[in-house]
Amino acid sequence: MADVLPLVEARLRSALGEPDARAAVTFLGTDRIEMLRFHEDDIVRYASLGMSAHPMTDPTAMVADPVKGPRAELVLSVRAGLADTDKVLRPLAVLAASPQVEGVVVAPGASLDVGEPLWPGAPFSSVLVAEPGGLVEDLELDEPLDPVHFLPLLPMTPNEAAWKRVHGAGALQERWLAAGTDLRDPSRASVPLA
């Protein structure tokens, strides 16, 4: 079975350009997760590399299938120079390691919470997992492997995360759209939810 990570990195580079920084994080009992940083004009993007090395497994499954199952990497985009967003590398690596550590399947519509600000002074401690296919196209792999999805992460304030739990991801995204919310603003306020 071919190692998927070189293919994943090549897809990230073709979509986002050359990374200008990379960091590796290893958690006890997990494979290494790398975080790549890409700059494009006034946007900085952080992408995980390593989450897709193994398929995500349903936590209720009796035996983990080493081949079949969803694969994904995470991508976060923020405006550069407005906050110390490079400190997001470790929280993002924690989220990327969660399928290995906690046995969760990360999918669009899910909320992921790190329990602390994503970066110093950030009004966000959680993210909404958005639909793949926009910024970085899915990476098709040889059968029987599932494709790798590149899942955008949208930072949520605590109020937005609580509102989303009640009303759903689609309703929160509609609120953001109706309010013209700049989801890349690293210090934005919560969208009006009343």
Side-chain angles (χ1 to χ4, degrees):
M1 195 71 54
D3 182 5
V4 303
L5 295 185
L7 302 173
V8 170
E9 184 169 356
R11 176 57 54 93
L12 285 167
R13 286 172 184 264
S14 70
L16 305 177
E18 286 299 308
D20 66 353
R22 63 193 308 146
V25 181
T26 305
F27 301 100
L28 186 63
T30 67
D31 292 338
R32 170 176 140 133
I33 302 284
E34 286 194 83
M35 297 305 303
L36 308 180
R37 183 181 70 189
F38 302 86
H39 269 102
E40 179 187 337
D41 300 324
D42 69 333
I43 302 294
V44 61
R45 302 185 198 285
Y46 303 94
S48 65
L49 178 62
M51 183 177 169
S52 63
H54 305 286
M56 293 181 275
T57 305
D58 182 341
T60 62
M62 294 296 281
V63 178
D65 188 325
V67 177
K68 289 205 58 67
R71 294 176 188 258
E73 296 291 353
L74 307 176
V75 181
L76 173 71
S77 302
V78 292
R79 295 209 178 282
L82 302 178
D84 188 10
T85 56
D86 279 354
K87 298 284 196 287
V88 77
L89 295 177
R90 185 165 179 77
L92 282 183
V94 168
L95 297 179
S98 63
Q100 287 183 62
V101 175
E102 300 171 23
V104 297
V105 175
V106 178
S111 299
L112 303 175
D113 196 317
V114 295
E116 62 185 35
L118 292 175
W119 51 82
F124 321 105
S125 63
S126 63
V127 293
L128 174 65
V129 181
E131 291 291 332
L135 186 62
V136 184
E137 284 185 34
D138 294 347
L139 173 64
E140 297 294 331
L141 300 173
D142 293 337
E143 290 289 339
L145 303 180
D146 287 19
V148 176
H149 300 294
F150 297 88
L151 301 172
L153 301 180
L154 309 175
M156 292 187 292
T157 66
N159 285 346
E160 290 169 340
W163 198 86
K164 181 254 175 196
R165 279 192 293 276
V166 174
H167 299 281
L172 178 58
Q173 289 176 308
E174 286 174 18
R175 287 283 174 134
W176 283 336
L177 193 59
T181 305
D182 181 2
L183 295 173
R184 295 175 178 168
D185 180 350
S187 56
R188 71 172 178 83
S190 183
V191 71
L193 298 169

